[in-house]
Amino acid sequence: MDGNIHTNASHVHNITLLAIESSCDDTAASVICDGKILSNVVAGQDVHQKYGGVVPELASRSHQKNIVPVVDIALKIANRSINDIDGIAFTQGPGLLGSLLVGNSFAKGLALSINKPLIAVNHLEAHVLAHLIDNPNIPFPFLCLLVSGGHTQIVKVNSPSSMETIGKTIDDAAGEAFDKAAKILGLPYPGGPLIDKYAASGNPLAFKFSSGHVPNLDFSFSGFKTAVLYFVRDKMAEDATFIDNNLSDICASVQHTIVTYLLSKLKSAALQTNIKHIAIAGGVAANSGLRNELQLMANNQNWTTYIPAFEYCTDNAAMIAIA
Ligand code: KG4
Ligand code: ZN
């Protein structure tokens, strides 16, 4: 020993959090240690498929059934025991009340039992902050197009704790537009990923659907949904095999209409705010058409884009943990 006092980083206790997400139809848990995601477990719910949408009562029941095993697996994958956890984060809202209550009560009970703090997280802020998982140095301010099954917003993100919504949908969310178009085509819920899949082999310009006309940076999808409904109804009246014979082209056209509409508003927002750091978030950010067309627009507009990994786009608890 040389007698000097050495500081050693390993003396600093790492902060380990358990995060729980249960706002809609996915039961999710994640363990994070000093900003690094150690596990990210999601249990989906197939029970809603045949109903063409999430049935709130069934969602809460599934959360009740799944939450203990999901948390247990998240701890095991992270190689941590409940005694290693320094705090518990949970989704406070927005979301389905019964679903939120399951995660909320479970998190409260667990936090009380280990005598550790409880941290309430906003689901939408978490979708936006999911970018910090893979991009801890993302520059502020950036614009984020937040597109999910429940929300469609353009958010000006000034800092992790300061966000302004500068545009939003006045009716359906973009994810709902995908899901409702899919339902019209006879595809199971949630249809967004299936439209994406069939669109890959279709012609995006095969059919024309009108998109919403609302001013400013706001969105409307109800007219689009009606346009798809009437189009399909009329074509099927002429030829009952129309959907089967044209599924890829219809899906590609539906996807192209939604994506073009989203990006035209995003472009206006970028020009108005003079921000060139552009992010997308939420379940619809997993859409390959949106990802590709965003990249083309970015090249054209000199944007730097931030696109989260697939697993951090749709509902997950890693985003709750990082938030
Ligand atoms: O963020 P999320 O998992 O849950 C909500 O907070 O709503 O988003 C779910 C939505 C659903 O509407 C689903 O159809 C849509 O995201 N979605 C997609 C894709 N993956 C998920 N929509 C289009 N293409 C995809 N690949
Ligand atoms: Zn979500």
Side-chain angles (χ1 to χ4, degrees):
M1 291 290 280
D2 55 15
N4 291 334
I5 297 167
H6 294 277
T7 52
N8 185 339
S10 70
H11 289 159
V12 179
H13 177 63
N14 296 320
I15 301 290
T16 306
L17 299 178
L18 169 69
I20 293 168
E21 151 66 34
S22 71
S23 64
C24 189
D25 60 340
D26 292 305
T27 317
S30 170
V31 177
I32 191 174
C33 183
D34 284 345
K36 191 170 174 288
I37 302 295
L38 303 182
S39 64
N40 182 30
V41 178
V42 182
Q45 302 182 356
D46 293 339
V47 290
H48 310 287
Q49 264 184 16
K50 58 175 180 281
Y51 299 100
V54 174
V55 184
E57 172 68 17
L58 295 179
S60 349
R61 283 172 194 265
S62 293
H63 285 305
Q64 289 273 14
K65 199 173 77 195
N66 292 338
I67 196 153
V68 172
V70 163
V71 167
D72 203 40
I73 293 166
L75 286 168
K76 285 210 173 82
I77 292 175
N79 202 14
R80 295 290 191 279
S81 91
I82 191 65
N83 300 316
D84 301 323
I85 299 300
D86 300 304
I88 300 182
F90 70 99
T91 305
Q92 187 171 43
L96 298 171
L97 186 63
S99 292
L100 288 165
L101 268 174
V102 177
N104 187 328
S105 321
F106 183 87
K108 273 187 186 152
L110 196 56
L112 265 177
S113 77
I114 59 172
N115 198 21
K116 291 288 157 64
L118 192 63
I119 305 149
V121 175
N122 177 288
H123 182 83
L124 299 177
E125 288 178 11
H127 268 301
V128 172
L129 295 173
H131 286 98
L132 293 168
I133 296 172
D134 288 330
N135 255 314
N137 299 318
I138 190 166
F140 296 98
F142 66 90
L143 286 184
C144 184
L145 174 69
L146 171 56
V147 272
S148 73
H151 300 273
T152 295
Q153 303 186 344
I154 299 177
V155 184
K156 181 165 171 262
V157 189
N158 300 313
S159 78
S161 56
S162 159
M163 303 187 194
E164 286 166 63
T165 301
I166 58 174
K168 60 179 187 316
T169 181
I170 59 164
D171 42 53
D172 289 351
E176 270 179 293
F178 270 106
D179 296 338
K180 287 180 176 173
K183 190 176 178 184
I184 293 167
L185 298 172
L187 300 172
Y189 179 87
L194 293 168
I195 297 226
D196 192 353
K197 184 180 131 199
Y198 291 115
S201 55
N203 173 6
L205 303 176
F207 306 109
K208 278 235 151 320
F209 303 109
S210 63
S211 50
H213 298 284
V214 280
N216 310 322
L217 300 173
D218 289 339
F219 300 88
S220 164
F221 287 99
S222 61
F224 165 75
K225 179 194 67 188
T226 312
V228 175
L229 181 68
Y230 288 167
F231 169 81
V232 169
R233 191 194 60 187
D234 293 350
K235 290 287 186 186
M236 287 298 277
E238 289 166 22
D239 171 9
T241 65
F242 177 76
I243 292 179
D244 287 347
N245 290 336
N246 296 277
L247 188 58
S248 300
D249 283 349
I250 306 171
C251 289
S253 302
V254 161
Q255 178 168 299
H256 181 66
T257 307
I258 296 174
V259 167
T260 308
Y261 183 48
L262 291 172
L263 288 181
S264 72
K265 296 280 180 164
L266 186 57
K267 184 174 159 187
S268 304
L271 292 171
Q272 278 178 33
T273 56
N274 203 19
I275 295 175
K276 286 181 179 290
H277 292 284
I278 310 289
I280 56 175
V284 179
N287 183 264
S288 30
L290 178 58
R291 288 171 171 242
N292 294 339
E293 292 191 38
L294 173 67
Q295 219 40 69
L296 294 177
M297 187 171 274
N299 297 341
N300 200 270
Q301 299 290 316
N302 266 319
W303 291 347
T304 309
T305 55
Y306 303 89
I307 304 181
F310 281 107
E311 59 183 317
Y312 303 138
C313 286
T314 48
D315 284 350
N316 66 87
M319 69 184 194
I320 305 300
I322 198 87

